[in-house]
Amino acid sequence: MALAFDVAGLTEYLHEIFPQVKDDFAIDAMDEQGLRMRLLTAERHLRPGGTVSGPSMFALADCAIYALILSRLGQEALAVTTNCSLDFMRKPVAGADVIAEARLLKLGRVLAVADVLMYSEGQAEPVARASMTYSIPPKR
């Protein structure tokens, strides 16, 4: 499926419809195979023990997949998460951004299914994996 945005256009659209994420996430790249987004890790994303918090990694996975779906659908702000499975596999590096590599598995009329692997920047092994399903609202 063709892309509905380039990186700059999708970033601008996300900031318009979801300004809360502007300071936390950045889209690094996207193409027909997927999307790479980073959590701009800051002190507010850390938990005791000096690691990136689970809620921050969930937010990264959710925003990456949301952006991935929008990159295909275009201006469809009302797509929503209906299911998530998240596996935390390794302790992320506290001083590094977390990188999400998202790929779309299925884009249907009503549901989209995608998965994401998350890595501490500069590390080869994933720190977490998520699988999500989104509901796509009917055309009006």
Side-chain angles (χ1 to χ4, degrees), residues 63-79:
C63 286
I65 292 173
Y66 181 59
L68 176 65
I69 293 167
L70 291 179
S71 76
R72 301 322 194 262
L73 294 181
Q75 295 186 4
E76 186 54 72
L78 298 179

Side-chain angles (χ1 to χ4, degrees), residues 6-27:
D6 60 15
V7 170
L10 181 55
T11 298
E12 183 179 319
Y13 183 62
L14 279 174
H15 291 176
E16 175 188 322
I17 63 167
F18 200 17
Q20 302 91 322
V21 304
K22 183 171 74 171
D23 297 326
D24 286 334
F25 306 104
I27 300 169

Side-chain angles (χ1 to χ4, degrees), residues 1-125:
M1 175 177 249
L3 296 176
F5 291 100
D6 60 15
V7 170
L10 181 55
T11 298
E12 183 179 319
Y13 183 62
L14 279 174
H15 291 176
E16 175 188 322
I17 63 167
F18 200 17
Q20 302 91 322
V21 304
K22 183 171 74 171
D23 297 326
D24 286 334
F25 306 104
I27 300 169
D28 288 347
M30 67 180 185
D31 60 23
E32 289 76 21
Q33 281 69 50
L35 178 138
R36 186 173 58 245
M37 179 180 275
R38 71 178 51 236
L39 170 66
L40 303 167
T41 305
E43 186 68 30
R44 68 184 173 278
H45 301 116
L46 304 182
R47 61 174 286 272
T51 188
V52 178
S53 72
S56 294
M57 288 192 290
F58 173 87
L60 172 61
D62 199 34
C63 286
I65 292 173
Y66 181 59
L68 176 65
I69 293 167
L70 291 179
S71 76
R72 301 322 194 262
L73 294 181
Q75 295 186 4
E76 186 54 72
L78 298 179
V80 295
T81 310
T82 59
N83 187 54
C84 175
S85 174
L86 184 57
D87 297 308
F88 298 101
M89 301 182 290
R90 291 172 185 79
K91 182 179 176 179
V93 177
D97 287 351
V98 179
I99 310 298
E101 296 279 351
R103 66 185 177 125
L104 198 57
L105 303 176
K106 178 184 189 264
L107 180 60
R109 284 183 310 102
V110 177
L111 295 176
V113 180
D115 67 7
V116 63
L117 286 173
M118 291 173 272
Y119 302 85
S120 287
E121 186 171 36
Q123 303 293 310
E125 296 293 322

